[in-house]
Amino acid sequence: TYCSAEKNKAILPIPAIDLYKSNRIAQIYEQAKKANFSFVIFSGKYGIVSPNELIAPYDHLLIAAEVDAHIELIISQIRSLEITEMSFFMNSLEEDPNLKPYLECLERACLKLKIPLRIEIVKLQD
């Protein structure tokens, strides 16, 4: 799933799962653990991060002008993590048009890598 605007007020890097203050992220993380699936968070700054990866607090919303550059980061991370398929849990674009660059980035990266991407529209709120 994607990151959230509301974050922990930490000063030093902390695990990604603790940085984001989001019921959506917490719920999808718990569902992934129960189903024994891998879980990552798509950050507008850091790309794909694992829940225990230490990251510094930030405030950045991915915008359309950054998608081309961000795709290269995402491709590198997908390869490094040996991801062979993805499910992206997101709110609908009608509910949150700010997600369009995130979706485009993942779609184009997965297309280039020839890995399946399933989009899951959820109704979970931050």
Side-chain angles (χ1 to χ4, degrees), residues 69-107:
H70 214 58
I71 287 170
E72 295 308 314
L73 172 62
I74 297 299
I75 287 172
S76 169
Q77 292 169 324
I78 288 172
R79 284 183 176 141
S80 175
L81 293 168
E82 298 179 354
I83 294 171
T84 57
E85 63 182 291
M86 294 187 83
S87 294
F88 185 45
F89 293 84
M90 59 179 280
N91 286 330
S92 70
L93 293 178
E94 292 78 26
E95 288 181 43
D96 190 350
N98 290 323
L99 295 177
K100 188 174 181 185
Y102 293 81
L103 179 59
E104 181 183 350
C105 197
L106 275 182
E107 286 176 331

Side-chain angles (χ1 to χ4, degrees), residues 6 28 38 77 80 114:
E6 191 171 346
I28 294 171
S38 297
Q77 292 169 324
S80 175
K114 297 182 171 107

Side-chain angles (χ1 to χ4, degrees), residues 1-22 24-25 40-50 53-63 66 70 73-74 77 102 126:
T1 191
Y2 55 97
C3 58
S4 69
E6 191 171 346
K7 297 178 184 66
N8 188 310
K9 301 285 190 241
I11 297 172
L12 299 174
I14 62 173
I17 197 67
D18 297 327
L19 178 64
Y20 302 107
K21 295 176 112 182
S22 164
R24 172 186 39 82
I25 292 173
V40 294
I41 300 166
F42 184 7
S43 160
K45 179 173 180 174
Y46 295 110
I48 295 175
V49 295
S50 67
E53 185 174 338
L54 298 178
I55 58 174
Y58 69 97
D59 184 20
H60 181 78
L61 179 66
L62 185 65
I63 60 171
E66 299 169 324
H70 214 58
L73 172 62
I74 297 299
Q77 292 169 324
Y102 293 81
D126 286 334

Side-chain angles (χ1 to χ4, degrees), residues 17 24-34 39 51-52:
I17 197 67
R24 172 186 39 82
I25 292 173
Q27 289 175 28
I28 294 171
Y29 179 54
E30 288 305 315
Q31 290 172 5
K33 286 195 306 189
K34 285 179 186 172
F39 173 85
N52 294 316

